[in-house]
């Protein structure tokens, strides 16, 4: 099943354990292949940012390969 990047923006992102991580805001793409590399998540106020990789803009950064499921929410593996 193909999913376009713009369909992911604004989706809720949760861990496999059920922790609300935040809202997907952006992604990075390999310019040569068009493949998604990372997703950027606006973090929930309830998570400890020290436990995650955070970029200069303050977004949580996850490799695209860490996505386990995309339905009403995006599920990320830990």
């Amino acid at each position: 099943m193909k999913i376009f990047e713009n369909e992911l923006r604004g989706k809720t992102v949760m861990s496999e354990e059920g922790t609300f991580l935040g809202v997907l805001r952006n992604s990075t793409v390999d310019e040569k292949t068009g493949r998604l590399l990372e997703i950027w998540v606006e973090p929930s106020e309830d998570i400890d940012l020290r436990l995650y990789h955070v970029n200069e803009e303050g977004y949580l950064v996850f490799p695209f390969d860490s996505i386990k499921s995309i339905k009403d929410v995006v599920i990320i593996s830990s």
Side-chain angles (χ1 to χ4, degrees):
M1 177 169 129
K2 289 188 179 184
I3 295 180
F4 295 99
E5 187 269 343
N6 64 342
E7 295 176 39
L8 295 174
R9 284 192 196 147
K11 284 199 178 276
T12 297
V13 179
M14 299 186 75
S15 71
E16 287 180 305
E17 294 79 27
T19 302
F20 172 60
L21 298 173
V23 177
L24 196 146
R25 293 297 183 203
N26 212 341
S27 61
T28 59
V29 177
D30 183 315
E31 292 177 8
K32 293 179 183 175
T33 65
R35 297 187 72 81
L36 292 173
L37 301 174
E38 300 173 330
I39 60 168
W40 295 3
V41 177
E42 182 178 340
S44 162
E45 294 178 4
D46 297 332
I47 63 168
D48 184 351
L49 295 178
R50 296 174 296 174
L51 301 175
Y52 300 93
H53 175 70
V54 179
N55 67 10
E56 320 63 67
E57 289 87 7
Y59 293 115
L60 305 175
V61 178
F62 296 98
F64 186 74
D65 293 343
S66 68
I67 295 177
K68 295 301 176 192
S69 175
I70 302 171
K71 293 190 181 179
D72 293 337
V73 298
V74 176
I75 305 295
I76 299 290
S77 66
S78 314

